[in-house]
Amino acid sequence: MNNKQKALSSIPSVDDLIKLHEIHEMSLRYPRSVVVDCIREFLGEYRKLILSSNDDDLEQIPSTQENLIRGVIAKVHKAMNSKLVNVINATGVVLHTNLGRAVLSDNIKESLWSIACRYSNLEFELETGIRGSRYSHVEDIICKLTGAEAAMVVNNNAAAVMLVLSTMAKGMEVVVSRGQLVEIGGSFRIPEVMSESGAVLKEIGATNKTHLFDYEKAVNEKTAALMKVHTSNYRILGFTKEVESEELVALGKKLNIPVIEDLGSGVLFDLQKFGLPYEPTVQSAVKAGMDVITFSGDKMLGGPQAGIIIGKKQYIDAMSKNPLTRALRIDKLTLAALEATLKLYLDEEAAIKEIPVLRMLTISMEELYAKADNLYNKLSTKLGDKCSLAVIDEFSEVGGGSMPMHRMPTRAISLITSELSIDRLEEALRGYHTPIVARINKDRLIIDVRTVFEDEFDIIAEALEEILCGNKLAGKLESGEIH
Ligand SMILES: *Cc1c(COP(=O)(O)O)cnc(C)c1O
């Protein structure tokens, strides 16, 4: 018998393994069928690893009973773990759509928790004892912060635009500038949302220029609204002309047609003093006299996924009666998170400090330097000569289709290693138990500290240590990477 045959014949059976104390314990804690499946899968991978190894590698394959038990247990945990997990965002993209967009403040945890786990007055008026409206809980604070007359909230901003158009313009025409026919990542396209809502898009102007007379000329007896869309994720530069909100509102008044604005990102503070570009605030759209305004809860506002609709009471009232509202309505967890986030906005200084999106966008260069040095020190202590590390100047992005041209100077860790290829390293970090998503620039791994929380530094250091310094075969077997 050669070594390979010997190794193969020493593989225990499923029955042998399930009788072992530690694995038996697992089968009491978790569904037995899951444990048995995991044992089978593990033994299959173990067999493949032996078959694909040469004699030298065979020596290194961890084969003690303890190793086998550890491998099976890791598999069971993996099978029973949540599939939706926390991820460390080392990309520097603050509103990373694939990573959950806005991160909520730690300070609102309690209010979310208690609403989630107990009954609440979601649709109940405590004073009168009669049925209430779920929107009433946030309407006052939204109106207070924005200056609007009335407000309601739906599932996201795409739903908000849909509801507004369906309520105000079903079967009628809505006039929009060609330069504002936005497509947002995913599949939100103004022309498509419009046709889904039953409104008819009346495109006007040219891609680069639209004048007030273009709007005026397009209006007829079928016109239900004039609409302005914030070109969140792109800019038209050069020879351009957009009609100012005030002019559009004046035209709407003159012709007795409501004017709608889709603001995209909802900014409640002017962030120019922190070096960010000008972005129209929600308040300025209200002041300009827009009849209805929509914006996202989880872009620059930094709250939960939601679509906020504000404006004149007659329109908001009509929307709350639209049957679509029921299909687009937000749930109590979102409401709790939104109310708590909006409350932080009552104090500008507190909001900037406590709302993670605002904090990450406004963090000072000094703080970024300190953060990067801190991570650098942790990494260089742990990783020694396994890689070469440097702290470098880089750029982060706002993301979420907001401020597309703006590159924010930041500090990042740059890592080069000869232990494995940079693609494999990036992949291994993504596969870590707390996945770490970093960027690659040529042959370097880039970790932008802007979007990494300080309490995640140790996890990054441990992950890199395990990947660059660990027993690779054991690691592979445990992470189920052998197929
Ligand atoms: C992002 C965006 C939307 C979609 O908002 P969601 O909250 O993602 O549904 C709609 N319109 C504009 C202009 C946007 O920027």
Side-chain angles (χ1 to χ4, degrees):
M1 233 197 301
N2 65 23
N3 283 346
K4 208 172 255 191
Q5 284 165 330
K6 229 184 272 162
L8 285 171
S9 68
S10 72
I11 298 178
S13 70
V14 175
D15 279 345
D16 292 338
L17 279 179
I18 200 138
K19 284 191 204 120
L20 296 175
H21 175 70
E22 290 89 339
I23 297 183
H24 178 69
E25 294 255 286
M26 295 296 276
S27 72
L28 297 178
R29 245 191 317 146
Y30 298 111
R32 194 184 152 90
S33 62
V34 173
V35 177
V36 171
D37 284 349
C38 288
I39 296 174
R40 268 206 194 100
E41 215 178 290
F42 178 79
L43 292 178
E45 286 162 14
Y46 186 56
R47 191 170 294 118
K48 265 192 200 165
L49 183 64
I50 293 172
L51 285 171
S52 65
S53 303
N54 56 34
D55 267 13
D56 289 345
D57 284 350
L58 271 183
E59 307 271 296
Q60 286 184 43
I61 294 181
S63 62
T64 61
Q65 195 175 74
E66 196 187 315
N67 289 129
L68 300 183
I69 292 173
R70 271 231 314 257
V72 171
I73 290 180
K75 252 194 189 316
V76 174
H77 281 146
K78 205 166 169 189
M80 293 306 293
N81 272 350
S82 306
K83 301 292 184 249
L84 185 61
V85 295
N86 284 135
V87 159
I88 295 176
N89 175 7
T91 64
V93 180
V94 176
L95 296 169
H96 200 303
T97 305
N98 303 147
L99 304 183
R101 221 140 86 176
V103 177
L104 297 178
S105 166
D106 260 345
N107 295 8
I108 72 172
K109 255 191 215 156
E110 290 304 314
S111 32
L112 251 178
W113 228 202
S114 69
I115 293 301
C117 304
R118 292 292 153 108
Y119 293 106
S120 64
N121 61 336
L122 181 65
E123 292 189 352
F124 187 64
E125 273 188 19
L126 292 172
E127 284 105 65
T128 57
I130 58 167
R131 180 177 181 163
S133 151
R134 65 176 59 212
Y135 308 109
S136 61
H137 309 288
V138 285
E139 182 166 17
D140 285 352
I141 192 163
I142 294 174
C143 291
K144 185 180 163 72
L145 290 170
T146 62
E149 229 174 78
M152 72 178 286
V153 188
V154 289
N155 184 54
N156 57 11
N157 189 30
V161 175
M162 179 89 131
L163 181 61
V164 169
L165 293 171
S166 156
T167 309
M168 299 173 69
K170 200 171 192 157
M172 307 267 284
E173 289 181 1
V174 177
V175 185
V176 189
S177 158
R178 271 204 182 87
Q180 298 174 355
L181 295 177
V182 181
E183 168 171 327
I184 309 292
S187 60
F188 178 93
R189 277 177 167 176
I190 285 289
E192 280 159 25
V193 172
M194 196 159 295
S195 71
E196 285 299 315
S197 73
V200 178
L201 169 66
K202 181 102 180 177
E203 286 178 45
I204 54 157
T207 305
N208 58 334
K209 280 201 174 199
T210 302
H211 303 271
L212 195 61
F213 60 74
D214 291 319
Y215 287 93
E216 194 156 11
K217 266 201 323 220
V219 170
N220 58 44
E221 68 287 350
K222 285 183 288 189
T223 309
L226 308 177
M227 184 173 183
K228 179 170 179 168
V229 183
H230 187 52
T231 58
S232 314
N233 54 2
Y234 66 99
R235 293 286 177 267
I236 297 175
L237 302 174
F239 188 59
T240 64
K241 155 100 182 143
E242 241 187 24
V243 173
E244 293 294 325
S245 297
E246 285 79 2
E247 294 175 89
L248 203 57
V249 166
L251 180 66
K253 282 222 168 79
K254 187 176 105 183
L255 302 173
N256 204 16
I257 295 172
V259 185
I260 302 167
E261 178 161 18
D262 173 12
L263 267 179
S265 211
V267 196
L268 292 177
F269 299 141
D270 184 355
L271 296 172
Q272 285 180 98
K273 61 172 174 261
F274 298 100
L276 288 151
Y278 172 74
E279 180 82 356
T281 59
V282 178
Q283 295 91 324
S284 71
V286 173
K287 228 184 229 141
M290 288 289 168
D291 293 288
V292 173
I293 299 160
T294 70
F295 55 98
S296 278
D298 59 342
K299 286 188 180 169
M300 305 257 294
L301 190 79
Q305 179 194 304
I308 300 169
I309 310 173
I310 58 173
K312 307 270 158 73
K313 191 167 174 348
Q314 64 179 108
Y315 299 116
I316 304 292
D317 283 349
M319 283 172 222
S320 66
K321 294 195 187 86
N322 186 328
L324 248 192
T325 299
R326 172 63 194 248
L328 306 177
R329 77 181 187 186
I330 61 164
D331 80 320
K332 59 187 177 182
L333 297 187
T334 310
L335 266 177
L338 186 62
E339 186 187 8
T341 304
L342 290 170
K343 274 209 254 160
L344 294 173
Y345 271 95
L346 294 170
D347 177 347
E348 179 164 341
E349 236 172 83
I352 298 274
K353 241 199 284 168
E354 286 165 25
I355 296 174
V357 171
L358 295 183
R359 167 125 187 86
M360 287 176 190
L361 290 175
T362 60
I363 185 170
S364 70
M365 223 40 224
E366 289 74 49
E367 285 173 281
L368 288 168
Y369 268 89
K371 248 179 124 173
D373 289 345
N374 181 2
L375 179 57
Y376 174 89
N377 291 335
K378 278 188 197 287
L379 296 185
S380 58
T381 313
K382 272 218 157 58
L383 304 178
D385 59 0
K386 295 284 180 183
C387 61
S388 125
L389 291 165
V391 182
I392 59 165
D393 287 321
E394 259 289 334
F395 291 99
S396 337
E397 284 170 46
V398 180
S402 305
M403 302 186 168
M405 312 292 279
H406 188 58
R407 301 173 79 213
M408 291 177 284
T410 189
R411 293 288 275 178
I413 305 293
S414 144
L415 183 155
I416 307 184
T417 181
S418 51
E419 298 291 312
L420 72 179
S421 78
I422 209 67
D423 291 330
R424 284 288 300 121
L425 175 60
E426 187 267 346
E427 193 187 331
L429 286 169
R430 263 192 284 121
Y432 196 61
H433 59 66
T434 302
I436 299 161
V437 183
R439 278 193 289 134
I440 293 176
N441 187 353
K442 297 196 184 94
D443 56 343
R444 289 151 201 269
L445 186 86
I446 308 288
I447 299 172
D448 185 337
V449 295
R450 181 186 296 271
T451 48
V452 180
F453 292 86
E454 304 249 2
D455 60 11
E456 295 170 334
F457 285 178
D458 285 332
I459 305 175
I460 296 179
E462 281 155 24
L464 285 168
E465 184 183 31
E466 221 174 284
I467 295 162
L468 297 176
C469 320
N471 177 339
K472 281 174 212 154
L473 275 176
K476 265 190 176 175
L477 202 54
E478 269 179 41
S479 68
E481 254 180 59
I482 320 266
H483 301 294

